[in-house]
Amino acid sequence: MTHLFGIRHHGPGCARSLVRALEELSPDCVLIEGPPEAEAVLAAAVHTEIEPPVALLLYCPDDTKKASFYPFAEFSPEWQAIRFGLQRNVPVRFMDLPQAHDLALRDAEVSAPLSEEADSPDEVAEDDISGDPLDWLGRAAGYGDGETWWNQMVEERRDSESAGLFAAIQEAMTSVRAEIPRKRAPEAQHRENLREAHMRKTIRQAEKDGFQRIAVVCGAWHVPALATMPSAKSDNDLLKGLPKVKVAATWAPWTYGRLAAASGYGAGVLSPGWYEFLWRNQAAEASQRSIAWISKVARLMREEDIDCSSAHVIEAARLSDALAAMRERPAAGLDEINESIRAIICMGDDAPLRLVRSRLIIGEKLGRVPPDVPTVPLQQDLEKQQRSLRLKPEALAKDLDLDLRNENDLSRSHLLHRLRLLGLKWGEVKGTGRSAKGTFHEVWQLQWQPEFAVSIIEASRWGHTIADAATALAIDHAEKATSLPELSALVDRVLLANLPHAVEPVTHALENLAAIAGDASQLLEAIPPLANIFRYGNVRQTDASLVGHVLDGLVTRACISLGGACASLDDDAAAAMRKRILATHQAIKLIGKDTHLADWMPALGRLAVLAGTHGLVSGMASRLLFDEQTEDADATEQRMSQALSIGNDPSPAAAWLEGFLHQSGMILLHDDRLWRILDTWLASLSDDNFTRILPLIRRTFSQFPGTERTQLGARAKYSGSTTSAPTAIATEFEWNETRALKPLPVLEQILGL
């Protein structure tokens, strides 16, 4: 006899009732909604070293972009059903449509890799209808939404009745499927029909194999379709001739963040951390459960240096119980507890509650899989290096400050840079140096993501070790590169990753492309990445001379072509060119070669006086010449006077001023002559011209630090300007002193004078 157990994915109440129902039934076969190809790796579910949340990863070895995840948490009903069967030597079979067909069908419908639409075996059926079925049921029961209703009725309840629960779920879903209007694409409807046909086919096969008590665990939505069986011929005809691809299966660590609905996972839940708490405290009284959860919140608050006393915990627990009583609910749920925490502990402030949500309600727990699960050699090499370098994958983001003079930290840096080359961005570089000084510190932010399991499988086609794969991929990118900045950045990344076998092919490709490149913009963009090689060369034990002669040629050619590249630029192009020139200037200074500076500074001098150059660029060139003391104050004063001459159009003059000041007004505070030139120019503008250039001037001065703006304002007000600008504000009417005195008695009474 077949027994149907309709569950909600990742529901602790469903899981608890399911375990009790299975214990009462004592089935001789358990059928679970899941991919049949994963049965080969199911034994790992009872391994001592596995720790949920984990996911079954189904992928096509020939095209790793075709992949699906089937996540499980400790409180997932399917996970408990799997462990129930395996621990009792009861046959466990998966009955969903095989991924060999599903991936092939999905590839025909949409080519997006790793779509969250495929993460759940049940989410398409629940999301393609007009509204969430739980919302329909919740509103019918008088609740505002289905999530609250389901939590109260199923997940947070404490009674031990199980058979009645699943019978009620079947009745409710039968009514919903019959009454809710369907709005789904033909492809989605066809896929659901295929899935349910295969589920029925698996049930028939189990009955044919002689099993007497068959437990079927599936999404509640599918129960009505399995309760009434059509003819076997109709299902077989529907499943006949489906496309097929090769599929492999393994386990991968998962996180609560990815299990949450907020991540975009269609079958996700709102509060994985809360659900784990409910699962582990299922025997506790409701009042004790509330106190235990609020105590966890209090512990988190104290860890984050937020005041939270025992009195806060007691009052919050009392308030949550009072709220539940006012709402005629049997016990305080998460909504009541959150409201009491906001009112008592957070003092009405939502900011601490957001911390509670991310750290406790959702949580960032990262699961663990046994070391003997099937993995590609690249995964094995990564795990080996993670252990040897003591780099543990964690779901929570954390900072890692590496001292590159230390051998272990240098090896860590090499590994992280190699992984980034492979597209696995476990770490993001936040900066260099504890105070952005020195080249021997590198600051990373690390956060492990579950989808990296697929990235590793995809990258395995390049090699069996991280170093070999990154080398092969870098060489392939170098051979296909058509942009000089792209190749220049690739050289930098290869040296940062310490890939000696890739250095020669990549630098050779850079030399070949640099020899024919004539675009000044590309030349300028290629120089800063190569300058980084000189900055890191000694510390990273790399040979900076590998690109030294290429860099020499790039700087020389950039200096020659700089003037032509800056002629006739519009505002947007001028802003982009200014960024390139500033980055190149900093790079050349960083390199520190006199020959480079001897070519670069005269090029800036020609740019500062070149006719037709945008004011933003020529003003910036004049400022760089002044800062580097290539031109004295007299020459700079003369150039500023010419640019801000009364006879010039105010808009180009304002652009020149923005380029010259370059996000810093200190030069105006320390040089009286430049201050007077600017003051005289502003005072000479007509009302119309001043109104026209005012937004440009405000934009320029808004980029200054607050302290500089304050000092400039004070100087403008009190320094005694030499101009003849009036000190009083002119008005179109004269003061009526009699009328002005009338409010004074009222003001005196209000102010108590």
Side-chain angles (χ1 to χ4, degrees), residues 312-587:
H312 285 102
V313 175
I314 295 170
E315 291 303 318
R318 288 176 176 173
L319 179 57
S320 63
D321 291 339
L323 288 173
M326 291 173 61
R327 294 168 180 173
E328 299 181 350
R329 295 178 180 174
L334 184 60
D335 290 342
E336 289 76 28
I337 293 176
N338 278 342
E339 290 181 33
S340 65
I341 290 173
R342 180 189 291 109
I344 303 299
I345 298 179
C346 302
M347 307 295 288
D349 187 1
D350 283 337
L353 200 61
R354 288 195 291 269
L355 174 67
V356 173
R357 172 171 175 77
S358 63
R359 297 281 290 276
L360 295 182
I361 297 177
I362 293 180
E364 282 297 340
K365 183 178 180 181
L366 176 66
R368 183 164 54 96
V369 300
D372 55 353
V373 299
T375 56
V376 295
L378 190 67
Q379 174 72 40
Q380 298 172 9
D381 181 62
L382 175 59
E383 292 174 353
K384 179 182 177 181
Q385 293 194 51
Q386 287 172 336
R387 290 192 297 269
S388 64
L389 297 175
R390 299 186 297 279
L391 274 177
K392 182 181 178 182
E394 296 182 22
L396 285 174
K398 72 170 187 177
D399 291 341
L400 181 67
D401 192 345
L402 301 179
D403 186 342
L404 302 180
R405 297 168 298 183
N406 179 282
E407 183 177 353
N408 188 69
D409 281 0
L410 183 60
S411 298
R412 289 177 170 182
S413 176
H414 291 158
L415 174 62
L416 294 172
H417 279 292
R418 290 171 182 175
L419 292 176
R420 286 184 61 81
L421 267 172
L422 293 173
L424 199 152
K425 298 182 180 180
W426 179 16
E428 294 284 348
V429 180
K430 293 184 61 178
T432 302
R434 288 192 170 95
S435 301
K437 298 178 180 178
T439 61
F440 52 84
H441 273 283
E442 196 173 63
V443 182
W444 292 78
Q445 185 177 67
L446 304 183
Q447 187 173 23
W448 187 264
Q449 301 292 348
E451 58 266 26
F452 290 162
V454 178
S455 301
I456 294 170
I457 294 173
E458 186 175 358
S460 64
R461 65 191 178 97
W462 296 105
H464 294 323
T465 67
I466 299 296
D468 291 345
T471 298
L473 183 60
I475 294 174
D476 182 75
H477 284 175
E479 293 173 349
K480 297 177 180 178
T482 58
S483 166
L484 191 58
E486 177 187 357
L487 263 180
S488 179
L490 183 60
V491 172
D492 187 26
R493 296 175 66 188
V494 165
L495 291 176
L496 291 175
N498 189 28
L499 301 173
H501 297 297
V503 171
E504 183 177 351
V506 175
T507 53
H508 183 66
L510 176 65
E511 292 174 4
N512 293 339
L513 193 58
I516 60 174
D519 188 345
S521 297
Q522 285 200 17
L523 294 171
L524 292 172
E525 291 178 6
I527 292 173
L530 295 180
N532 286 335
I533 299 173
F534 282 81
R535 183 171 82 172
Y536 283 105
N538 294 333
V539 176
R540 292 184 172 273
Q541 303 171 12
T542 56
D543 187 3
S545 63
L546 291 170
V547 295
H549 63 287
V550 178
L551 191 55
D552 292 341
L554 290 177
V555 172
T556 301
R557 296 175 62 192
C559 293
I560 295 173
S561 59
L562 183 61
C566 295
S568 303
L569 299 177
D570 60 18
D571 292 344
D572 293 337
M577 182 59 70
R578 180 178 70 161
K579 292 181 180 179
R580 296 189 191 103
I581 294 175
L582 287 172
T584 302
H585 181 73
Q586 295 299 324

Side-chain angles (χ1 to χ4, degrees), residues 99-166:
Q99 283 295 295
H101 301 312
D102 196 27
L103 291 175
L105 290 170
R106 194 184 321 132
D107 184 55
E109 295 171 4
V110 58
S111 59
L114 285 181
S115 171
E116 289 289 349
E117 293 179 0
D119 284 355
S120 166
D122 195 45
E123 70 177 272
V124 174
E126 293 183 352
D127 287 346
D128 284 347
I129 62 173
S130 175
D132 186 347
L134 297 185
D135 280 341
W136 287 77
L137 294 169
R139 287 195 292 268
Y143 286 75
D145 60 89
E147 184 77 18
T148 303
W149 171 79
W150 185 269
N151 281 338
Q152 290 289 331
M153 298 300 296
V154 180
E155 309 304 353
E156 296 176 358
R157 68 188 185 89
R158 296 184 62 254
D159 63 87
S160 59
E161 177 64 28
S162 57
L165 171 67
F166 294 110

Side-chain angles (χ1 to χ4, degrees), residues 15 71 99 118 133 178 279 300 351 431 461 472 497 580 596 638 720 724 749:
Q99 283 295 295
W279 172 257
L300 173 63
R461 65 191 178 97
R580 296 189 191 103
H596 292 170
Q638 181 180 1
S724 58
Q749 185 176 0

Side-chain angles (χ1 to χ4, degrees), residues 180-228:
I180 290 183
R182 310 287 289 281
K183 292 183 180 180
R184 60 171 71 233
E187 296 84 359
Q189 180 61 55
H190 178 61
R191 183 168 175 264
E192 180 185 325
N193 293 338
L194 291 175
R195 295 176 63 204
E196 292 176 345
H198 194 274
M199 293 180 194
R200 292 189 292 264
K201 181 179 179 179
T202 306
I203 294 174
R204 294 190 189 99
Q205 184 62 47
E207 294 173 344
K208 184 178 178 180
D209 291 341
F211 295 112
Q212 300 299 315
R213 298 180 305 279
I214 303 173
V216 177
V217 180
C218 64
W221 179 256
H222 299 299
V223 171
L226 305 183
T228 304

Side-chain angles (χ1 to χ4, degrees), residues 280-321:
R280 296 188 175 183
N281 295 270
Q282 51 187 296
E285 295 290 338
S287 58
Q288 295 300 318
R289 193 170 62 191
S290 300
I291 293 175
W293 178 260
I294 297 173
S295 297
K296 287 185 65 174
V297 173
R299 188 179 304 112
L300 173 63
M301 295 293 184
R302 293 163 186 162
E303 290 173 355
E304 297 297 327
D305 294 329
I306 300 175
D307 182 41
C308 187
S309 66
S310 300
H312 285 102
V313 175
I314 295 170
E315 291 303 318
R318 288 176 176 173
L319 179 57
S320 63
D321 291 339

